[in-house]
């Protein structure tokens, strides 16, 4: 019998691409803008989403929802609901990323609960990981990468793919920079090579620093997508 190699990875990614395309078409029909939020654990994804939601809601009148991706627990989804955002929790049970079929099920739940037409922006808080999520398109309009100062300025060098992939780059917890040996100039030099076109924002999600500029830029992207 002749041997045959089955490219399992290619098959999985191909299926995911098909689902992502269907999701993108669905989002376009309802005018829903989707942001895939990427980072390592502890960078401040949840606090950034919460602070961004406040500005998008209060200044621009956008209605935001969240899809929370975690290995386990619903801690972050509870926080989002407490802030008034519809939230769907996805527990991957060990998988280090979200996939299109998971998002499809979460979107069905959001649509049944509040109606996709009633949601302007969906934040997908991906599983905290700097490698796996990059390979899986979720039908999003924009992927953003959040790095926090305490993580160190060497992360773009060690994990270049996720920084190259991002459509916007946020450096969070900038308020504590004086307490850490973070080479901000070196960080920007590396990004100049990896991703010179993506806008960069230095923010403090919990203190509010830089959030207005970031949220205003995002609102502009939302409006351009609707035009």
């Amino acid at each position: 019998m002749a041997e045959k190699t089955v490219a399992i990875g290619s098959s999985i990614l191909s299926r995911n691409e098909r689902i992502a395309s269907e999701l993108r078409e669905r989002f376009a029909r309802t005018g829903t803008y989707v942001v895939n939020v990427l980072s390592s654990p502890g960078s401040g994804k949840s606090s950034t989403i919460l602070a961004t939601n406040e500005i998008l809601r209060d200044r621009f009148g956008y209605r935001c929802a969240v899809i929370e991706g975690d290995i386990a627990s619903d801690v972050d989804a509870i926080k989002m609901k407490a802030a008034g955002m519809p939230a769907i929790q996805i527990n991957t049970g060990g998988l280090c990323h979200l996939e299109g079929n998971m998002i499809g099920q979460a979107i069905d739940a959001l649509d049944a609960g509040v109606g996709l037409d009633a949601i302007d922006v969906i934040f997908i808080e991906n599983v905290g990981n700097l490698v796996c999520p990059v390979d899986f398109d979720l039908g999003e309009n924009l992927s953003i990468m959040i790095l926090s100062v305490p993580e160190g300025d060497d992360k773009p060098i060690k994990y270049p793919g996720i920084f190259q992939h991002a459509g916007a780059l946020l450096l969070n917890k900038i308020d504590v920079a004086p307490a850490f040996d973070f080479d901000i100039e070196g960080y920007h030099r590396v990004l100049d090579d990896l991703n010179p076109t993506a806008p960069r924002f230095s923010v403090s999600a919990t203190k509010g620093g830089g959030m207005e500029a970031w949220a205003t830029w995002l609102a502009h992207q939302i409006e351009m997508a609707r035009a």
Side-chain angles (χ1 to χ4, degrees):
M1 181 184 295
E3 292 184 359
K4 181 179 181 181
T5 300
V6 179
I8 297 176
S10 298
S11 176
I12 292 172
L13 290 174
S14 177
R15 174 175 176 268
N16 189 81
E17 289 297 319
R18 175 181 57 78
I19 296 173
S21 179
E22 293 170 354
L23 285 169
R24 191 166 282 112
E25 292 175 1
R26 185 175 182 181
F27 297 143
R29 287 196 299 270
T30 58
T32 307
Y33 193 90
V34 180
V35 182
N36 188 7
V37 184
L38 308 170
S39 80
S40 60
S43 66
K45 291 192 298 297
S46 297
S47 58
T48 300
I49 291 171
L50 287 167
T52 304
N53 168 67
E54 287 187 13
I55 299 172
L56 293 182
R57 180 194 63 207
D58 297 343
R59 180 175 172 186
F60 299 99
Y62 292 137
R63 298 156 297 180
C64 302
V66 185
I67 296 173
E68 287 288 345
D70 287 296
I71 300 296
S73 88
D74 60 351
V75 173
D76 291 333
I78 292 172
K79 292 179 184 176
M80 301 300 170
K81 291 177 181 178
M85 283 185 285
I88 300 295
Q89 181 70 51
I90 298 175
N91 290 136
T92 67
L95 198 64
C96 60
H97 59 273
L98 295 177
E99 297 181 6
N101 63 308
M102 302 175 188
I103 300 303
Q105 293 177 39
I107 292 301
D108 287 342
L110 279 174
D111 202 10
V114 298
L116 204 55
D117 290 330
I119 301 172
D120 298 306
V121 182
I122 296 175
F123 292 99
I124 300 173
E125 184 171 347
N126 217 311
V127 179
N129 190 291
L130 295 183
V131 181
C132 307
V134 177
D135 292 329
F136 291 85
D137 186 354
L138 303 179
E140 70 268 21
N141 298 87
L142 172 71
S143 290
I144 68 170
M145 170 60 198
I146 302 175
L147 176 70
S148 66
V149 167
E151 294 175 81
D153 56 77
D154 59 351
K155 292 304 176 291
I157 297 175
K158 292 181 176 181
Y159 305 94
I162 199 164
F163 289 89
Q164 290 171 319
H165 173 80
L169 298 157
L170 278 66
L171 180 60
N172 192 25
K173 306 184 184 180
I174 196 68
D175 54 304
V176 300
F180 291 87
D181 184 20
F182 189 98
D183 183 358
I184 292 181
E185 291 184 1
Y187 161 80
H188 284 293
R189 280 197 302 271
V190 174
L191 293 184
D192 286 342
D193 292 331
L194 291 178
N195 194 344
T197 60
R200 303 169 201 168
F201 301 91
S202 294
V203 304
S204 172
T206 57
K207 304 295 184 183
M211 290 303 299
E212 192 75 25
W214 147 245
T216 299
W217 178 86
L218 178 57
H220 182 60
Q221 306 310 303
I222 296 167
E223 290 305 312
M224 287 197 301
R226 291 176 166 182

